[in-house]
Amino acid sequence: MLKVDGINVYYGNIQAIKGVSLEINEGEIVTLIGANGAGKSTLLKTISGLLKPKQGKIVYEGKSIGGKAAQTIVKQGISHVPEGRRVFANMTVEENLQLGAYLRKDKEGIKQDLDKVFELFPRLLERLKQQAGTLSGGEQQMLAMGRALMAKPRLLLLDEPSMGLAPLLVKTIFRIIEEINQTGTTILLVEQNANLALSIADRAYVVETGRIALSGDAEELTSSEQVKMAYLGGH
């Protein structure tokens, strides 16, 4: 579904991504794990069009999308839930969700997808008229995910969905990520909590200083000594 081939990405003169290649098959949950600053978020931003690769190719469903404008990439079926949630604080929950569908014209489909979002996140329905800035961190994460789903993505990029959330909420969010995947949305997940990410993923890539250090089946990586020592608390 998505093939990233040898991309290099720079912030000014600093190279953040060094010749990264990876692929995602339709229906999978693929996770990127690695230390802070390894380049995981940069990789997501490059796929979603917020950053442009200097070299290399990004091909989605057979079409080259590397360097295309972010809204073009959303139109093609990729939605990005950024790190730190980035909800529109002064707008209501409802307005945030409607903004997620701004490229769509199918009124009936939008209504159906709104209902689906409320099924996944009943809390958002309770908070519909509330300003997004007044929501708790967990509710804002639900809103950011709901808003991304309103674009009807076939591929969902999730950046650090558990960041700053209480453990119980993290469990809920991850259960919902699995539900979203089961309804047919492919997911690329960046997550600090490597144990949790690997527990729901099909495959994983370990990113170290802008390069892919290891990749494989999520179960294999969970039992790899190297991964255990570096990312899973040693045992």
Side-chain angles (χ1 to χ4, degrees), residues 83-173:
E83 189 181 348
R85 319 195 230 290
R86 305 285 175 90
V87 297
F88 297 102
N90 300 328
M91 299 172 93
T92 64
V93 167
E94 187 173 21
E95 288 164 338
N96 268 272
L97 290 171
Q98 284 167 345
L99 265 178
Y102 82 106
L103 287 172
R104 297 174 59 183
K105 302 278 181 277
D106 55 324
K107 283 207 168 62
E108 201 43 51
I110 291 172
K111 195 178 166 309
Q112 283 170 1
D113 285 341
L114 204 50
D115 290 341
K116 277 186 207 154
V117 167
F118 296 143
E119 265 172 51
L120 287 170
F121 307 107
R123 189 79 58 84
L124 296 182
L125 185 55
E126 292 163 23
R127 303 269 190 271
L128 202 55
K129 302 295 180 195
Q130 212 169 302
Q131 282 199 326
T134 65
L135 301 178
S136 70
E139 289 165 347
Q140 288 191 14
Q141 183 61 48
M142 292 173 187
L143 180 55
M145 287 166 69
R147 182 179 62 190
L149 289 173
M150 288 305 295
K152 218 178 172 61
R154 292 188 298 286
L155 173 62
L156 185 63
L157 312 178
L158 283 171
D159 197 353
E160 301 287 7
S162 80
M163 195 189 265
L165 301 186
L168 200 65
L169 251 180
V170 172
K171 276 205 172 105
T172 305
I173 292 286

Side-chain angles (χ1 to χ4, degrees), residues 27-46:
E28 284 188 312
I29 297 179
V30 174
T31 186
L32 303 176
I33 59 175
N36 259 338
K40 305 182 304 294
S41 294
T42 302
L43 205 47
L44 291 195
K45 285 179 184 161
T46 308

